[in-house]
Amino acid sequence: NHYAVPLSGSSGTRHAVFAKYLARRGNDVTIFASPVPHSDLMNKVKFRNGTLYTDRIYENYRFRFIKTPSYVSNVQRIVNMISYRRNVLRSTEYLDKPDVIIGSSVHLHAADAGRILAKRFKIPFIFEIRDIWPEALIDIGIVGRMHPLYKYLRNIELRLYKSADHIITLLPGLIPYLQNHGISDRDITYIPNGIDSSLSPESYVKQSRKEFIAMYFGAHGPMNQLETLVKAAKILRSDYNNPPIKIHLVGTGKCKPDLVRMKEENQLENIIFSDPISKRELFIVAQKSNAFIFHLRDISILRRYGISSNKLYDYMLCGRPIVFACHSYNNPVDEANAGVSIPPNNPNALANALIQLSDLDDNNLQKMGNNGRKWVLQNHNLAILVMKLEKVINALI
């Protein structure tokens, strides 16, 4: 997984959590990842002259960080992806022959590196689908179906389906799509994203109601459409007589400078921006919130296949109500009765939802939060889901 990070990182800890629990169950696990584009890792992980990788041991599992070039443009990003695949294939020395290899999207070059290595070692290959590339690129308007990049990635996708001994999907609505590609139900396992309950306190302290703080953690990118949150802050100030509600965004991304500029141009004191924090810190900072905001752009791929969001499950573990602004095949917040669901990209609906939650008494807020926490511990606890993963692995080897 090109973008996997250790448990101390601020995103993408799924495989680090699985590695931790797999290792505790007697397995020897190595994660191939790259420090690029994670700024915190890029500052910490150094490569000696001429080396393509460096190893770090975390608790009881290994990260092998692969050297890749940094990028700014989309073309440079594609070069970065191809470089990751090439350098993974040249960086397997001093490791024992594995029993199984899992190649994980998002981008298909990472999964394809796993396919090639599995073929080289003559061992089972598991393809893990965390996002539907290249379909997702069409939905967000990056390419069309006749674009050479789409055709190139589509060929890799079909090759991965054909070569995989088993497929893991994180998306609940994806199974019919895979069946249409000739993949049998017995070769597909649904293992969604989830939470590492060991990082979270057993209960959360009630936050002061002097002001109502709604937090957002995570990427500030085009898919998140966080300008909706800034516009909602403006509506709260102008149309609702500036109630004691603040929106606090924690994270970074290519859209953050524009979002900060919107805040400053409109002189919005009711919206705050902070730098990214680690997963461990998230559960500490979260105690200062009264609610969370989950917002994703409205694209058809979410409505067809659903979501499996680490961020959303972390919110639920924190025991606070959630404003869920997303059109999706599945809706964990509604399933758990853990908050309010609204359409995405609708600042008025978001402002109304925050007013609605801020008007509730502490008991009702806590009930919603407790519902979400109980639901995510029952359905998305990685310490339990790892046994499902181990069962798949053992069946193959």
Side-chain angles (χ1 to χ4, degrees):
N1 172 9
H2 187 153
Y3 304 124
V5 299
L7 292 176
S8 58
S10 58
S11 64
T13 58
R14 169 185 174 87
H15 292 128
V17 177
F18 274 151
K20 177 180 74 171
Y21 287 115
L22 282 169
R24 288 180 184 178
R25 296 172 63 82
N27 301 283
D28 180 10
V29 186
T30 298
I31 298 173
F32 286 75
S34 173
V36 180
H38 307 294
S39 57
D40 51 341
L41 284 176
M42 289 169 65
N43 293 330
K44 295 176 184 176
V45 176
K46 304 299 180 184
F47 299 92
R48 293 191 296 274
N49 290 336
T51 59
L52 292 176
Y53 69 87
T54 186
D55 285 355
R56 294 284 183 90
I57 304 298
Y58 295 90
E59 191 175 319
N60 50 8
Y61 60 92
R62 178 190 297 104
F63 258 84
R64 178 157 287 191
F65 288 110
I66 305 300
K67 188 176 184 179
T68 60
S70 58
Y71 61 86
V72 177
S73 68
N74 286 333
V75 172
Q76 290 173 326
R77 186 182 181 193
I78 293 170
V79 171
N80 170 270
M81 294 174 184
I82 295 172
S83 172
Y84 173 81
R85 176 174 61 182
R86 182 188 68 237
N87 290 346
V88 163
L89 299 178
R90 300 159 66 192
S91 302
T92 60
E93 57 188 1
Y94 307 119
L95 295 175
D96 293 335
K97 177 184 174 179
D99 297 297
V100 66
I101 289 179
I102 302 172
S104 184
S105 57
V106 174
H107 77 74
L108 297 174
H109 295 93
D112 204 42
R115 178 193 66 83
I116 295 168
L117 287 178
K119 185 176 180 180
R120 179 187 297 175
F121 289 119
K122 299 179 180 179
I123 59 173
F125 167 59
I126 298 173
F127 178 27
E128 180 185 73
I129 304 173
R130 292 186 293 129
D131 202 352
I132 314 295
W133 275 37
E135 289 296 314
L137 303 182
I138 291 177
D139 264 26
I140 59 179
I142 293 179
V143 298
R145 292 192 184 278
M146 301 306 295
H147 195 284
L149 178 60
Y150 172 82
K151 293 181 179 180
Y152 166 69
L153 292 174
R154 177 66 170 159
N155 284 335
I156 298 177
E157 180 191 26
L158 294 176
R159 187 166 66 217
L160 288 166
Y161 291 152
K162 184 178 179 180
S163 302
D165 296 284
H166 201 85
I167 290 178
I168 292 172
T169 174
L170 282 68
L171 306 176
L174 190 63
I175 292 176
Y177 176 87
L178 297 173
Q179 290 169 334
N180 289 338
H181 285 80
I183 299 166
S184 168
D185 280 356
R186 65 176 179 272
D187 295 325
I188 305 169
T189 301
Y190 171 57
I191 306 179
N193 271 323
I195 51 91
D196 183 2
S197 57
S198 69
L199 299 179
S200 167
E202 290 187 6
S203 61
Y204 275 80
V205 178
K206 287 184 181 180
Q207 173 61 351
S208 163
R209 293 296 298 275
K210 185 176 180 181
E211 56 184 8
F212 190 90
I213 299 175
M215 283 190 170
Y216 169 91
F217 290 93
H220 293 39
M223 266 299 294
N224 312 103
Q225 282 199 327
L226 299 183
E227 61 270 23
T228 302
L229 278 64
V230 181
K231 292 175 182 177
K234 184 178 179 182
I235 290 169
L236 286 170
R237 186 189 65 181
S238 60
D239 295 0
Y240 289 93
N241 198 26
N242 202 23
I245 297 174
K246 286 190 175 178
I247 300 173
H248 187 176
L249 292 86
V250 181
T252 191
K254 65 184 295 184
C255 297
K256 186 169 182 177
D258 290 335
L259 297 169
V260 172
R261 194 175 303 114
M262 284 178 66
K263 164 195 163 76
E264 292 172 348
E265 288 174 353
N266 290 281
Q267 299 180 330
L268 298 174
E269 296 182 358
N270 58 347
I271 190 162
I272 304 164
F273 290 91
S274 297
D275 292 334
I277 58 177
S278 71
K279 186 67 69 76
R280 294 182 186 277
E281 293 173 301
L282 182 153
F283 293 109
I284 298 171
V285 174
Q287 296 195 58
K288 299 176 182 178
S289 70
N290 300 100
F292 294 108
I293 300 170
F294 182 85
H295 192 280
L296 280 179
R297 179 177 170 179
D298 185 14
I299 57 176
S300 64
I301 201 166
L302 297 180
R303 286 183 255 118
R304 294 200 307 271
Y305 307 126
I307 59 168
S308 185
S309 169
N310 279 315
K311 174 168 58 190
L312 178 59
Y313 301 140
D314 287 337
Y315 286 174
M316 298 177 89
L317 184 62
C318 289
R320 300 285 194 262
I322 299 162
V323 178
F324 183 82
C326 175
H327 279 149
S328 175
Y329 175 90
N330 57 323
N331 184 334
V333 172
D334 275 359
E335 286 183 47
N337 193 20
V340 178
S341 295
I342 62 170
N345 196 26
N346 189 324
N348 282 299
L350 177 55
N352 282 329
L354 293 176
I355 289 289
Q356 178 183 337
L357 287 177
S358 68
D359 284 343
L360 294 177
D361 59 33
D362 288 344
N363 288 336
N364 281 313
L365 286 175
Q366 189 170 8
K367 184 178 179 181
M368 282 185 182
N370 289 342
N371 287 344
R373 183 177 170 84
K374 181 180 178 181
W375 184 90
V376 81
L377 285 169
Q378 289 176 342
N379 297 283
H380 292 273
N381 190 340
L382 292 179
I384 298 172
L385 291 174
V386 72
M387 291 185 279
K388 200 172 183 181
L389 174 59
E390 191 177 48
K391 183 177 180 181
V392 170
I393 292 170
N394 288 337
L396 290 175
I397 66 175

